[in-house]
Amino acid sequence: QVQLVESGGGSVQAGGSLRLSCAVSGFTYMRNSLGWFRQAPGKEREGVAVIYTGDGSTFYFDSVKGRFAITQDNAKNTVYLQMNSLKPEDTAMYYCAAANRRILGWVFSPRNYDYWGQGTQVTVSS
């Protein structure tokens, strides 16, 4: 049974930092795509960052490039999202997602992912 458990959300002021964690269990950790998505009230879920565990390739949505970093710790079966220079528009529920393959299409499409966590809230105040 695959489980994704997010943690690390919270409230910060603009310009601050947070690190989100996603603990992955019941899943073959090699050659998978692990992603972070977010959804603000009234908006569609959007991709933020994705890592392919097979070779460590990373992908970032334009709005977070240079500010966010996705990393993996194979020993802990955990993927992280380091978020720096946070802006009020980053406020959203953040979700971890997983697919047991390398995604060949649009990596930021939620439909490409098979497993989802429950989410962790990030609130950035101005």
Side-chain angles (χ1 to χ4, degrees), residues 7 22 27 63 76-77 81 83 91 94 97 103 107 117 123:
S7 61
C22 175
F27 200 53
S63 60
K76 296 182 179 180
N77 281 358
L81 184 68
M83 305 186 295
T91 295
Y94 282 70
I103 295 171
V107 297
T123 303

Side-chain angles (χ1 to χ4, degrees), residues 4-97:
L4 307 175
V5 180
E6 303 98 333
S7 61
S11 298
V12 295
Q13 290 190 328
S17 299
L18 284 173
R19 189 177 79 156
L20 306 183
S21 300
C22 175
V24 182
S25 61
F27 200 53
T28 303
Y29 200 62
M30 300 303 293
R31 300 188 181 88
N32 304 310
S33 297
L34 299 174
W36 285 98
F37 289 74
R38 65 187 182 187
Q39 188 167 18
K43 295 188 177 181
E44 292 187 355
R45 190 168 297 190
E46 65 176 12
V48 174
V50 172
I51 187 166
Y52 174 61
T53 62
D55 60 12
S57 300
T58 56
F59 308 87
Y60 296 95
F61 204 66
D62 285 348
S63 60
V64 306
K65 283 182 180 177
R67 300 189 298 123
F68 291 11
I70 186 170
T71 57
Q72 59 176 336
D73 185 330
N74 290 341
K76 296 182 179 180
N77 281 358
T78 299
V79 62
Y80 302 97
L81 184 68
Q82 178 67 43
M83 305 186 295
N84 300 323
S85 302
L86 283 161
K87 304 175 181 180
E89 51 263 43
D90 294 318
T91 295
M93 185 71 80
Y94 282 70
Y95 297 91
C96 181

Side-chain angles (χ1 to χ4, degrees), residues 91-119:
T91 295
M93 185 71 80
Y94 282 70
Y95 297 91
C96 181
N100 59 356
R101 62 194 178 282
R102 181 167 197 151
I103 295 171
L104 300 180
W106 179 238
V107 297
F108 297 122
S109 172
R111 292 180 294 179
N112 286 324
Y113 294 81
D114 307 306
Y115 306 97
W116 292 85
Q118 294 300 307

